[in-house]
Amino acid sequence: MNRPSTSTVRRVAVAAMSVAAATSLAMPAVAQAAPKAPAPKVDQRTLDSMSAFAPAIIGAVTTKGPDGKINPQLISQAKALAATPGLPPRAKDIWQDVVDFLGEPGRAALIRQHKAAERKPGDPEIPKGPGAPKIQEFLYPTIGIGCMPNASLTSGNSLGRALMTAGPQQAPAPGPKKGQAGYVYTSLGTGPAINSSARKLWVTWLNIDTGRSGQVQLKRNPKINATDGPGTFTGIAPTGKGRIVSTIYGDVTTKTKGKVISCGIVPTIGIGIV
């Protein structure tokens, strides 16, 4: 299994802290939602604050704690970043979710969700009702730097959305099985995804309940937005059951307005239960 190198972690940290972007990012309404609600926004300070945590997650995958599980420094860094003076309210709310997820409230939620999803004899393979697998969106939308050509033939930024699904279910195709997580990253406004051997998009994940961890490349999915876009990249990871903290980082490549464009994204973080 590929592991991120020290230089990779450093590159992610630099990208997270030095990105130049608009003051705020609009989060688009869900396609099926009706009527449309006002689009919430993510302040640039929120993006910077959260993406600064991505290198810690990547490092935790390669540096386990003394018990072979989650490195306690990960929790310490989350709490330290959450206590940064002057954070906007949205950032404070997200950080509280992260700290709770890593602590006992998250463990209690894991137990409740797994009990709700327990199958009884004769139940279908995919649970229904409250225990059904759900889409678990990443904590905040992010941006791809220079992912879209604009009228002046220079490149603009693309809003990026990411989510995780817990198996067993069918999305993203071919679908994660029991004990697996499916990941989807979409570069909104771009053309269809292209696989690049030189510039790759990664998800690094850590099961904080078992200490299991890994890295998976997200690739073009021939069954999702493959013809017209937007650029959509997916992957399935053998996370096992538990609380999963993930970060998506690296580069996306799309064919947008007739041009093949590769661009880097600001790392985004997700928390979810498998």
Side-chain angles (χ1 to χ4, degrees):
M1 177 179 295
N2 293 327
R3 299 293 188 190
S5 64
T6 301
S7 62
T8 299
V9 174
R10 187 180 300 112
R11 181 171 66 86
V12 173
V14 171
M17 298 304 295
S18 64
V19 60
T23 301
S24 63
L25 299 172
M27 183 184 295
V30 177
Q32 291 92 348
K36 291 183 178 180
K41 294 183 178 180
V42 174
D43 186 88
Q44 182 63 37
R45 293 174 298 166
T46 301
L47 182 65
D48 290 342
S49 174
M50 293 304 304
S51 59
F53 190 47
I57 298 173
I58 297 171
V61 168
T62 57
T63 307
K64 301 294 175 60
D67 60 355
K69 295 185 179 181
I70 181 174
N71 192 315
Q73 292 180 353
L74 183 69
I75 298 176
S76 298
Q77 184 160 351
K79 291 181 177 179
L81 287 168
T84 302
L87 287 179
R90 175 58 179 152
K92 290 181 179 180
D93 291 343
I94 294 176
W95 275 118
Q96 188 61 54
D97 288 343
V98 171
V99 173
D100 288 348
F101 182 82
L102 296 175
E104 287 307 314
R107 190 182 299 278
L110 171 73
I111 293 172
R112 287 196 303 270
Q113 185 158 326
H114 281 174
K115 284 185 176 180
E118 287 178 356
R119 297 180 63 235
K120 300 179 179 62
D123 281 351
E125 180 65 24
I126 299 178
K128 304 295 184 182
K134 294 180 176 63
I135 289 174
Q136 301 174 81
E137 290 228 37
F138 272 46
L139 291 169
Y140 53 94
T142 187
I143 57 172
I145 306 167
C147 290
M148 298 195 315
N150 58 30
S152 64
L153 300 182
T154 59
S155 292
N157 297 332
S158 167
L159 190 73
R161 300 292 297 274
L163 61 86
M164 185 189 89
T165 63
Q169 66 171 313
Q170 296 178 354
K177 298 177 182 179
K178 186 176 181 179
Q180 294 182 332
Y183 292 93
V184 180
Y185 180 87
T186 303
S187 184
L188 298 173
T190 67
I194 294 177
N195 289 328
S196 171
S197 59
R199 302 186 63 172
K200 300 177 181 179
L201 186 65
W202 299 98
V203 58
T204 294
W205 55 270
L206 172 66
N207 186 324
I208 66 174
D209 292 301
T210 66
R212 194 172 183 176
S213 62
Q215 182 187 40
V216 172
Q217 182 183 352
L218 302 184
K219 299 181 179 181
R220 170 186 179 273
N221 191 316
K223 296 186 178 181
I224 305 177
N225 301 332
T227 302
D228 300 320
T232 304
F233 302 81
T234 71
I236 295 175
T239 59
K241 296 177 68 174
R243 288 172 292 169
I244 312 300
V245 58
S246 315
T247 184
I248 291 178
Y249 65 98
D251 303 302
V252 299
T253 301
T254 64
K255 188 171 185 179
T256 302
K257 295 185 178 179
K259 299 176 61 177
V260 175
I261 298 175
S262 293
C263 55
I265 71 165
V266 179
T268 183
I269 296 167
I271 55 177
I273 294 175
V274 171

